[in-house]
Amino acid sequence: VYGAPQFDTETTDRINEIRSDLDIYVNECQAKFITGEMSFDKWDEYISTLQRLGVDELVGCYQAYYDSIR
């Protein structure tokens, strides 16, 4: 079991910046997918938007942290 990552200030600021937009978008789309307001035909568009919002960079920050403690 891993504890919450302890990032440096610069990384924390960047993560918070990415997460602010990403969390809003994910929560909004999650509700739309569940209610059927958004079709799963839009899945590729959803993934593209996640990438544009920085999800790959976010995952990279966490992966670098976990790699550093192994």
Side-chain angles (χ1 to χ4, degrees):
V1 176
Y2 293 106
Q6 298 296 312
F7 297 108
D8 60 60
T9 303
E10 182 179 328
T11 304
T12 299
D13 290 346
R14 183 62 185 139
I15 286 172
N16 289 338
E17 183 180 319
I18 293 169
R19 296 271 323 254
S20 66
D21 293 334
L22 198 62
D23 289 348
I24 291 168
Y25 181 70
V26 167
N27 289 333
E28 187 178 283
C29 288
Q30 182 179 26
K32 288 179 179 180
F33 280 127
I34 290 169
T35 62
E37 185 178 337
M38 184 180 279
S39 167
F40 280 100
D41 293 339
K42 300 277 187 180
W43 186 257
D44 290 339
E45 181 181 321
Y46 171 71
I47 297 300
S48 294
T49 302
L50 291 177
Q51 290 170 332
R52 187 174 44 78
L53 292 173
V55 73
D56 293 330
E57 184 180 353
L58 180 66
V59 169
C61 291
Y62 280 87
Q63 188 63 56
Y65 171 79
Y66 290 121
D67 289 346
S68 74
I69 61 170
R70 294 190 325 165

